[in-house]
Amino acid sequence: MVTLIAPPGLKNLKGIQPAMEPNPPLGLAYIAGTLKGNGIDYHVIDGAGEALDQINKFKHQSLKEDSDFYIQGLSIEEIVERIPENPEIVAISCLFSINWLCTKELARQIRQKFPESILVIGGEHSSACPEYCLTNSDFDIVVIGEGEETFLNLVTKINSNDPTIYSTPGIAHYQDGHFVMTDRAIRIKQVDEIELPDWDSIPIEEYIDRHQINGANLGRSMPILATRGCPYLCTFCSSPNMWTTRYIARDTNKLIAEMEYYVDKYKVVNFDFQDLTAIVKKQWAIKFCQEIIDRNLNITWQLPIGTRSEVFDDNVIDLLYRSGCKFLAFAPESGSKEVLKIIKKQVNLESLFKSA
């Protein structure tokens, strides 16, 4: 049995808020969908989604007694109690660094209760600093980058007692006291063949009902992904470690079919795209918008994470609006050309101002 865990939200109620409130764990839902599609037994614990209205003090040895950090969702102890007895593999997703302390404490308590279990971590944070995560926690393995195929390979090997477990491409671990990274896993090129997220294993309705989703409140909303990766190399971003620089867009027909499925099943009226930068290719954007219009989908959608501005012109902007795009963000990071050069942010400020 594989147990998949999304950690609870961590916030500072009297100080700096996290970058994002707890959102539906899209990455973990994709992993669950992959396991489901391959007939592997699994159990999902959504640390935030299973108790979104619950907020408790977070205690950790690295924090002072009077710290203002709180957990939104299940407590660490409650999550551990929900893990099925003697799990062979426990995998935790850590998307943002704000969740690292929760994730680390969760791994510590799981190790205490299930000392024989293999503890795996994946996500943007651990992909950005795999050695740090292994050195400073109870995790055995880091899955680096895109997780569907790598984690499936890892689970398959563990289940079959394959002696090459620790040679699986796309992972990091310690061997004889030394940090080891295997060869990077090849990016998934056929993104339209990836199993859809398994939202049945996650309390998605709890997020929808409270609009606990990233983006402006435009009604009942679902997160969705249209593209994977980013072709740029900004120095402050974990994307090159997570995705490399390969940018792959989904087939617009299949993407819209997924949207139609959620409209029918969950009665949603809006989609929050979680892409790193959804609009890079002009013709793809035009085709996507036109197909939404032609199908008369009658929804809204938004790009709250941010996107590139280079392909925006009057035609693209008109199609975006008519297809239901009601909110988007550009992410120039700085108005200083000198700073942009230092951080390798390839943005044309003149083009951005014109698009805006």
Side-chain angles (χ1 to χ4, degrees):
M1 170 68 76
V2 178
T3 298
L4 303 175
I5 301 176
L10 182 65
K11 56 176 60 182
N12 185 334
L13 296 185
K14 296 182 181 179
I16 299 172
Q17 293 289 322
M20 294 173 65
E21 293 293 314
N23 284 291
L26 181 57
L28 203 70
Y30 264 113
I31 297 297
T34 297
L35 297 182
K36 183 178 182 178
N38 286 273
I40 294 174
D41 291 335
Y42 63 96
H43 175 70
V44 178
I45 303 171
D46 184 354
E50 294 180 27
L52 281 169
D53 298 329
Q54 179 174 299
I55 296 179
N56 292 308
K57 185 89 172 181
F58 177 58
K59 297 180 180 180
H60 189 271
Q61 59 185 8
S62 66
L63 298 174
K64 295 180 180 179
E65 284 295 321
D66 60 349
S67 75
D68 294 322
F69 282 96
Y70 291 78
I71 280 180
Q72 180 178 356
L74 299 171
S75 69
I76 302 299
E77 292 76 15
E78 287 173 323
I79 293 174
V80 175
E81 288 173 3
R82 295 189 183 201
I83 298 174
E85 194 64 29
N86 298 320
E88 189 168 21
I89 305 165
V90 179
I92 305 176
S93 172
C94 186
L95 186 58
F96 296 105
S97 297
I98 187 70
N99 286 116
W100 170 242
L101 281 182
C102 283
T103 303
K104 177 180 177 180
E105 178 61 17
L106 189 51
R108 186 187 71 81
Q109 293 194 27
I110 293 171
R111 174 65 73 209
Q112 284 186 339
K113 185 173 182 179
F114 305 111
E116 302 302 319
S117 297
I118 297 175
L119 304 189
V120 182
I121 183 173
E124 290 271 359
H125 175 79
S126 53
S127 292
C129 46
E131 185 172 8
Y132 172 83
C133 289
L134 288 173
T135 303
N136 293 278
S137 73
D138 289 273
F139 286 104
D140 300 299
I141 297 172
V142 173
V143 170
I144 299 173
E146 199 171 27
E148 288 87 355
E149 289 188 353
T150 300
F151 188 65
L152 176 62
N153 290 340
L154 191 63
V155 170
T156 301
K157 287 184 177 183
I158 293 171
N159 286 344
S160 62
N161 294 314
D162 188 323
T164 67
I165 292 169
Y166 291 99
S167 298
T168 304
I171 69 168
H173 62 98
Y174 265 92
Q175 182 175 331
D176 300 325
H178 299 286
F179 175 73
V180 176
M181 285 181 61
T182 61
D183 293 335
R184 175 174 279 278
I186 298 173
R187 281 286 310 281
I188 302 172
K189 297 178 182 178
Q190 304 302 323
V191 293
D192 294 305
E193 295 179 6
I194 298 172
E195 300 284 349
L196 291 181
D198 176 21
W199 292 118
D200 289 338
S201 64
I202 289 161
I204 187 65
E205 286 284 359
E206 298 297 315
Y207 290 99
I208 295 173
D209 288 345
R210 294 163 177 76
H211 196 79
Q212 190 85 30
I213 293 177
N214 184 35
N217 189 347
L218 298 176
R220 289 177 62 83
S221 304
M222 284 286 290
I224 200 165
L225 203 62
T227 64
R228 289 191 169 211
C230 175
Y232 298 94
L233 285 166
C234 302
T235 57
F236 56 82
C237 187
S238 61
S239 178
N241 279 351
M242 181 73 187
W243 301 102
T244 71
T245 55
R246 181 184 286 274
Y247 172 87
I248 306 174
R250 295 175 60 186
D251 178 86
T252 54
N253 277 308
K254 294 184 178 180
L255 172 59
I256 295 173
E258 182 184 357
M259 295 167 70
E260 290 175 326
Y261 173 69
Y262 295 147
V263 169
D264 180 62
K265 183 170 183 176
Y266 299 111
K267 311 305 177 189
V268 296
V269 297
N270 175 72
F271 291 90
D272 301 326
F273 284 78
Q274 304 298 301
D275 304 63
L276 290 171
T277 179
I279 300 178
V280 172
K281 298 179 179 179
K282 183 176 181 178
Q283 290 307 311
W284 182 92
I286 290 173
K287 185 178 180 184
F288 174 62
C289 293
Q290 191 63 58
E291 286 184 9
I292 290 179
I293 295 169
D294 291 345
R295 293 195 195 195
N296 194 27
L297 196 51
N298 195 29
I299 50 88
T300 59
W301 60 283
Q302 55 185 314
L303 301 170
I305 303 298
T307 191
R308 304 291 299 190
S309 63
E310 287 80 0
V311 306
F312 280 62
D313 58 23
D314 289 343
N315 182 42
V316 170
I317 292 170
D318 176 63
L319 284 169
L320 286 169
Y321 183 80
R322 290 197 292 121
S323 67
C325 182
K326 300 303 181 185
F327 173 78
L328 62 82
F330 292 141
E333 315 304 341
S334 174
S336 164
K337 292 183 178 180
E338 181 180 356
V339 171
L340 291 173
K341 184 177 180 180
I342 292 171
I343 65 176
K344 298 183 180 180
K345 180 74 177 185
Q346 297 182 40
V347 59
N348 185 309
L349 292 175
E350 289 74 18
S351 171
L352 186 142
F353 286 131
K354 183 178 180 181
S355 298

